[in-house]
């Protein structure tokens, strides 16, 4: 749906535009879908001129086919797989979070969604030396926790500070500012936003459900339309800039008592990969979490993995004193 | 893909008219005179101006991103509200964080309101004693605000600080830190049902702008108005989700700590029953930090159930006539602490000294 404007293509002048408007032809879509012959008679313009205009408009607005071989070449050269920092989660995700697609983490409160997001951010900024965009909609981003994770990876303070500088944080608390932000990033500022920090490799939205769910339900379907727009802009951004889009979602309880990701069926088609995180039964102190793959195009579904939130704050030498006794309760 | 008209923050009627007139992308509206929008989309002059304002405003509405390093500095500058229970403070990394939302869940009588009252007093501890020197807004929906207890807590806090006075600055601060000023710095709002609560929360941002010293907002409790009078559960969920975003926006823009209390409910799973926080599954995501208060025999336990910055842990506490304190049996933290922690460690020590003869539980 693009409105017809003067000078859009050769031959489309003010007079013709007025005639078309009188015939209720306002947008490119209207021109393309109407019967040219009939239209030429109604507006008393030459059939040839209208036909030429239609061809130009079609060429301007159509998509190009790309050969599979070219795509494969591109895929090999540009796709990156980002580790989550947890070997078992990486295995579940077929070695990590892929760029160019949306990956979703869902789970109840305290199931470790934000922690996985932090870990991905830390991994990209520290090991890959690339930038991360972190959109925080719940106020859950804790920079001191990021620092704690960085300290477990490296003891070099300068390296830690550089890594922190490569994580760019937006704090947005409603859907309109989220959309604004995503569209601004989409329209080319993604790369500009992070001057001198390498290219952006991951866009993390924690959590996408927090801003969408207040609008869903009820009698108006505006919420649904906004949700699909968020999905659309995230998808094109992931594909065009080759970044990994990682989003988190809450869970709802179905009638049978099981847990499933929130935001309904329409959203369930959006992420390419979906992971459900759950607390292990046991004490509230336990740092063990289980992850179940519920949608994937690479791995068999419903495989499970276990991971430990503590592992991200424990340094590789195992010298951290934060180990908990509760870890043995599995 | 460009920004589309339906993503603008306008009324749905205006947006549907624009779409019907063929405008679907923002770039098509840019630079048009309002009269043309009026004519083509059939909206009023005023609406056309609103449309143009929304179109023009969109790229600048977003603040530039912060880097995590700036965020870290911000976090380190913002002090936390100490709870006078050193173990809980240590588990939360120095107290209840400002700029975040914290939910306190627990069974009746376990001490949710007491902790809130304690925080309302603690937020006013002068800066030179390691406090925040702030004010508190207390939204009471249950009618459980007990002035007598606040007076007790305030008296204990004043007495405690007066024992710590070392230099002139602190001596000066003590002249204004007394029970009366503490009481006058707590703004109590009594809401009787959820409509009043919603209205109050819409007005609060203005109040907070007028009172920049407010550092704590307590909602005691969220569950009570929302567990009654609701026929349609989906409406309740929607309202609650909206409120959650409002709270966090308020917390981060006004630099206040938002504390919400919640009741417990029973969930049946097969033949087993389990005590879980009320207000449903999706509300659980609303607070940044979730604290569960529970009984274990005669002991009171506080569990950090969810926190992005701290590992889950369990600490013991007690409530005595002075307020919310460390449990007596617990081992005391080392007394050598950095300056900002003087109060917590001293509070811990004093408790152990005072209550040495035997445990004092007041229930």
């Amino acid at each position: 749906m693009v409105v017809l404007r003067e000078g859009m293509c050769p031959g489309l002048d003010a007079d013709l535009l007025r005639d078309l408007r009188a015939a209720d032809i306002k947008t490119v879509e209207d021109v393309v879908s109407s019967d040219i012959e009939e239209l030429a008679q109604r507006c008393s313009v030459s059939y040839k001129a209208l036909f030429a205009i239609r061809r130009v408009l079609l060429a301007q607005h159509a998509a190009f086919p790309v050969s599979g071989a070219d795509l494969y070449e591109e895929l090999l050269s540009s796709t990156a797989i980002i580790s989550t920092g947890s070997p078992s989660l990486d295995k579940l995700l077929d070695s990590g979070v892929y760029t160019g697609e949306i990956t979703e983490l869902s789970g109840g409160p305290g199931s470790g969604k934000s922690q996985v997001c932090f870990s991905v951010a830390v991994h990209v900024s520290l090991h890959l030396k690339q930038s991360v965009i972190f959109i925080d909609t719940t106020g859950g981003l804790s920079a001191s926790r990021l620092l704690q994770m960085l300290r477990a990876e490296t003891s070099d303070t300068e390296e830690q500070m550089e890594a922190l500088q490569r994580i760019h944080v937006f704090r947005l608390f409603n859907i309109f500012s989220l959309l604004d932000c995503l569209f601004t990033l989409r329209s080319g500022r993604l790369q500009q936003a992070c001057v001198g920090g390498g290219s952006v490799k991951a866009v993390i939205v924690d959590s996408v459900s927090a801003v969408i769910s207040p609008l869903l339900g009820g009698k108006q379907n505006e919420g649904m339309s906004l949700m699909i727009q968020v999905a659309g802009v995230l998808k094109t951004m992931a594909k065009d800039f080759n970044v990994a889009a990682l989003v988190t979602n809450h869970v709802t309880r179905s009638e049978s008592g099981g847990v499933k990701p929130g935001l309904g069926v329409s959203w369930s088609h959006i992420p390419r990969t979906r992971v459900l995180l759950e607390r292990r039964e046991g004490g509230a102190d336990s740092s063990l979490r289980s992850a179940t793959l519920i949608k994937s195009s690479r791995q068999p579904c419903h495989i499970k993995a276990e991971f430990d939130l503590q592992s991200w704050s424990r340094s590789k030498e195992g010298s951290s004193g934060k180990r908990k006794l509760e870890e043995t309760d599995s | 893909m460009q920004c589309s008209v339906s993503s603008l923050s306008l009324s749905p009627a205006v947006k549907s008219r624009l779409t019907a007139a063929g405008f679907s992308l923002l770039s098509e509206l840019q630079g048009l005179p309002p009269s043309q929008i009026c004519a083509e989309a059939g909206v009023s002059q005023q609406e056309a101006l609103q449309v143009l304002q929304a179109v023009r405003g969109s790229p600048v509405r977003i603040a530039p991103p912060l880097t995590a390093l700036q965020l870290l500095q911000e976090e380190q500058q913002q002090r936390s509200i100490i709870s006078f229970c050193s173990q809980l403070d240590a588990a939360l990394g120095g107290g209840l964080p400002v700029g975040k939302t914290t939910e306190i869940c627990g069974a009746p009588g376990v001490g949710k309101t007491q902790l809130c009252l304690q925080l309302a007093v603690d937020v006013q501890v002068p800066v030179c004693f390691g406090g925040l020197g702030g004010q508190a807004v207390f939204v009471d929906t249950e009618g459980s605000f007990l002035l007598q207890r606040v007076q007790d807590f305030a008296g204990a806090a004043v007495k405690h600080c007066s024992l710590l006075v070392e230099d002139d600055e602190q001596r000066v601060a003590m002249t204004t830190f007394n029970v009366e000023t503490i009481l006058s710095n707590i703004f109590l709002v009594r809401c009787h049902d959820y409509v009043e609560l919603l209205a109050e929360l819409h007005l609060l941002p203005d109040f907070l702008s007028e009172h920049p010293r407010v550092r704590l907002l307590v909602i005691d409790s969220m569950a009570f108005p929302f567990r009654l009078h609701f026929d349609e559960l989906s409406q309740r969920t929607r309202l609650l989700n909206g409120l959650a975003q409002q709270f966090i926006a308020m917390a981060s823009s006004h630099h206040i700590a938002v504390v919400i209390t919640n009741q417990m409910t029973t969930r049946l799973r097969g033949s087993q029953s389990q005590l879980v926080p009320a207000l449903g599954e999706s509300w659980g995501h609303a607070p940044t930090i979730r604290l569960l208060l529970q009984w274990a025999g005669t002991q009171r336990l506080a569990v950090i159930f969810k926190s992005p910055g701290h590992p889950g842990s369990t600490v013991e506490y007690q409530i005595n006539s002075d307020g919310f304190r460390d449990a007596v049996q617990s081992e005391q933290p080392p007394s050598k602490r950095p300056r900002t922690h003087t109060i917590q460690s001293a509070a811990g020590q004093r408790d152990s000294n005072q209550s040495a003869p035997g445990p004092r539980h007041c229930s």
Side-chain angles (χ1 to χ4, degrees):
Chain A
M1 288 270 275
V2 181
V3 183
L4 287 175
R5 290 269 167 249
E6 211 183 314
M8 231 173 162
C9 65
L12 194 65
D13 53 18
D15 290 341
L16 180 57
L17 208 60
R18 203 178 47 241
D19 289 343
L20 286 175
R21 229 158 238 287
D24 207 23
I25 303 289
K26 289 179 192 160
T27 63
V28 172
E29 201 177 77
D30 293 338
V31 176
V32 172
S33 59
S34 64
D35 183 353
I36 294 287
E37 212 172 314
E38 192 204 71
L39 194 64
Q41 279 171 8
R42 263 201 344 220
C43 305
S44 57
V45 222
S46 84
Y47 174 79
K48 247 183 168 171
L50 264 186
F51 192 76
I53 287 174
R54 191 170 101 140
R55 268 182 64 174
V56 174
L57 287 179
L58 272 178
Q60 272 176 358
H61 293 91
F64 293 104
V66 184
S67 90
D70 290 349
L71 262 186
Y72 185 63
E73 277 295 307
E74 200 189 313
L75 185 120
L76 287 183
S77 64
S78 59
T79 301
I81 305 172
I82 300 167
S83 164
T84 58
S86 153
S88 53
L89 258 187
D90 283 351
K91 198 167 158 236
L92 183 84
L93 291 167
D94 194 12
S95 68
V97 179
Y98 281 62
T99 60
E101 59 184 56
I102 302 180
T103 307
E104 180 196 77
L105 300 165
S106 53
S111 57
K113 302 181 296 294
S114 299
Q115 299 296 321
V116 177
C117 289
F118 293 172
S119 172
V120 169
V122 161
H123 192 268
V124 173
S125 68
L126 184 72
H127 295 301
L128 306 180
K129 306 257 183 272
Q130 306 283 330
S131 295
V132 184
I133 300 232
F134 200 112
I135 301 179
D136 178 19
T137 65
T138 58
L141 178 63
S142 157
S144 33
R145 175 72 179 134
L146 287 176
L147 184 65
Q148 200 182 11
M149 284 180 164
L150 284 168
R151 279 191 182 140
E153 297 282 327
T154 169
S155 52
D156 184 351
T157 322
E158 203 161 299
E159 228 176 300
Q160 290 166 7
M161 294 303 133
E162 275 173 16
L164 281 180
Q165 267 171 329
R166 279 191 288 265
I167 302 176
H168 301 264
V169 183
F170 286 98
R171 282 188 289 185
L172 312 164
F173 304 118
N174 68 57
I175 183 89
F176 296 111
S177 39
L178 173 68
L179 269 174
D180 255 5
C181 171
L182 290 176
F183 277 119
T184 327
L185 290 176
R186 169 71 191 78
S187 61
R189 301 205 193 170
L190 181 69
Q191 308 302 338
Q192 282 172 33
C194 312
V195 188
S199 64
V200 176
K201 269 283 157 270
V203 174
I204 300 171
V205 185
D206 179 28
S207 89
V208 78
S209 55
V211 286
I212 294 177
S213 58
L215 297 165
L216 290 182
K219 290 182 184 64
Q220 290 193 347
N221 52 10
E222 204 199 351
M224 193 65 91
S225 127
L226 290 169
M227 176 175 93
I228 298 303
Q229 285 195 42
V230 171
V233 67
L234 268 178
K235 265 197 170 169
T236 47
M237 196 149 83
K239 203 84 233 152
D240 292 359
F241 294 120
N242 228 317
V243 297
L246 184 63
V247 300
T248 63
N249 190 353
H250 68 208
V251 289
T252 54
R253 210 160 271 279
S254 56
E255 287 79 15
S256 54
V259 174
K260 56 175 190 190
L263 296 181
V265 181
S266 321
W267 179 263
S268 70
H269 298 285
I270 308 299
R272 177 80 73 85
T273 309
R274 310 185 92 186
V275 181
L276 183 69
L277 303 180
E278 280 169 300
R279 268 171 188 269
R280 290 291 311 276
E281 295 294 327
D285 287 1
S286 170
S287 62
L288 279 180
R289 301 287 186 267
S290 78
T292 315
L293 196 65
I294 48 178
K295 176 180 173 183
S296 170
S297 44
R298 279 182 287 271
Q299 296 264 78
C301 283
H302 302 294
I303 53 173
K304 270 185 186 247
E306 266 178 33
F307 63 102
D308 188 349
L309 297 178
Q310 291 286 325
S311 64
W312 288 316
S313 41
R314 203 182 297 138
S315 66
K316 293 281 184 282
E317 294 82 35
S319 61
S320 166
K322 298 213 169 195
R323 258 187 117 122
K324 287 245 175 298
L325 288 171
E326 282 84 358
E327 275 171 40
T328 52
D329 72 355
S330 66
Chain B
M1 185 174 161
Q2 284 173 299
C3 200
S4 83
V5 166
S6 51
S7 74
L8 288 176
S9 155
L10 291 166
S11 81
V14 174
K15 280 195 269 190
S16 66
R17 282 206 184 144
L18 287 174
T19 334
F23 295 108
S24 60
L25 298 178
L26 279 198
S27 52
E28 296 168 353
L29 286 167
Q30 250 150 9
L32 286 188
S35 55
Q36 194 177 347
I37 296 180
C38 284
E40 287 189 20
V43 294
S44 74
Q45 189 103 28
Q46 201 188 351
E47 280 165 337
L49 284 175
Q50 275 174 1
V51 170
L52 284 176
Q53 236 161 26
V55 171
R56 226 170 282 141
S58 65
V60 286
R61 273 210 301 264
I62 300 299
L66 294 167
T67 68
L69 188 64
Q70 287 166 309
L71 201 67
L72 182 70
Q73 284 157 352
E74 199 177 288
E75 267 174 32
Q76 282 167 348
Q77 271 170 12
Q78 277 176 1
R79 293 178 134 157
S80 307
I81 304 173
I82 48 171
S83 65
F84 277 25
C85 169
S86 60
Q87 284 197 331
L88 183 62
D89 290 339
L92 286 171
L96 228 61
V98 168
K100 309 258 175 212
T101 53
T102 307
E103 184 189 48
I104 302 168
C105 317
V110 77
K112 301 186 294 292
T113 304
Q114 304 284 322
L115 177 54
C116 290
L117 297 176
Q118 178 72 60
L119 289 169
V121 171
D122 292 349
V123 72
Q124 303 181 36
V125 171
V127 179
C128 53
F129 288 102
L132 286 163
Q135 294 175 321
V137 176
F138 201 104
V139 180
D140 182 14
T141 63
E142 289 185 345
S144 54
F145 187 84
L146 275 176
L147 199 61
Q148 190 54 47
R149 289 294 282 160
V150 186
Q151 224 170 348
D152 291 347
F153 292 179
V158 171
K159 201 172 127 211
H160 173 65
C161 284
S162 64
L163 292 173
L164 289 172
V165 170
E166 278 170 357
D167 55 28
D168 284 342
E169 192 193 357
Q170 292 179 335
R171 214 161 284 131
V172 170
M174 278 315 289
T175 56
T176 53
F177 188 62
N178 54 42
V179 177
E180 261 166 47
T181 50
I182 290 179
L183 291 183
S184 68
N185 280 333
I186 299 177
F187 304 101
L188 180 70
V189 184
R190 176 83 173 90
C191 294
H192 294 86
D193 57 17
Y194 79 94
V195 181
E196 279 185 28
L197 180 62
L198 286 177
E200 175 57 30
L201 292 176
H202 273 284
L203 295 175
L204 258 180
D206 293 336
F207 181 85
L208 293 176
S209 308
E210 285 166 28
H211 296 81
R213 274 182 60 210
V214 172
R215 284 287 161 275
L216 174 71
L217 167 66
V218 179
I219 317 284
D220 184 32
S221 75
M222 197 65 182
F224 184 71
F226 281 96
R227 286 180 88 172
L228 298 170
H229 326 297
F230 263 98
D231 301 329
E232 203 197 332
L233 272 180
S234 71
Q235 190 202 358
R236 184 184 87 167
T237 312
R238 219 163 40 245
L239 278 177
L240 282 173
N241 284 334
L243 280 182
Q245 291 310 107
Q246 240 174 305
F247 282 135
I248 183 64
M250 245 191 289
S252 76
S253 62
H254 293 278
H255 302 293
I256 56 171
V258 178
V259 175
I260 305 154
T261 65
N262 191 359
Q263 300 171 347
M264 302 295 270
T265 185
T266 311
R267 180 191 290 157
L268 294 170
R269 192 183 278 171
S271 58
Q272 287 182 323
S273 72
Q274 199 185 359
L275 216 55
V276 295
L279 296 180
E281 195 82 22
S282 66
W283 172 254
H285 300 272
T288 315
I289 295 170
R290 187 172 233 186
L291 214 57
L292 284 178
L293 303 185
Q294 55 191 219
W295 289 101
T298 55
Q299 296 170 329
R300 297 167 191 251
L301 297 178
V303 180
I304 301 179
F305 183 78
K306 161 192 172 180
S307 168
H310 313 97
S313 56
T314 306
V315 299
E316 215 177 295
Y317 68 94
Q318 64 154 327
I319 293 170
N320 62 25
S321 57
D322 287 343
F324 197 89
R325 294 291 188 273
D326 272 317
V328 183
Q329 302 91 326
S330 66
E331 53 184 290
Q332 293 304 317
S335 54
K336 288 271 184 229
R337 284 282 190 104
R339 174 70 191 278
T340 47
H341 294 288
T342 24
I343 289 196
Q344 316 162 195
S345 57
Q349 277 175 356
R350 196 172 55 108
D351 270 344
S352 68
N353 297 340
Q354 278 189 349
S355 18
R360 289 186 312 177
H361 281 285
C362 126
S363 44

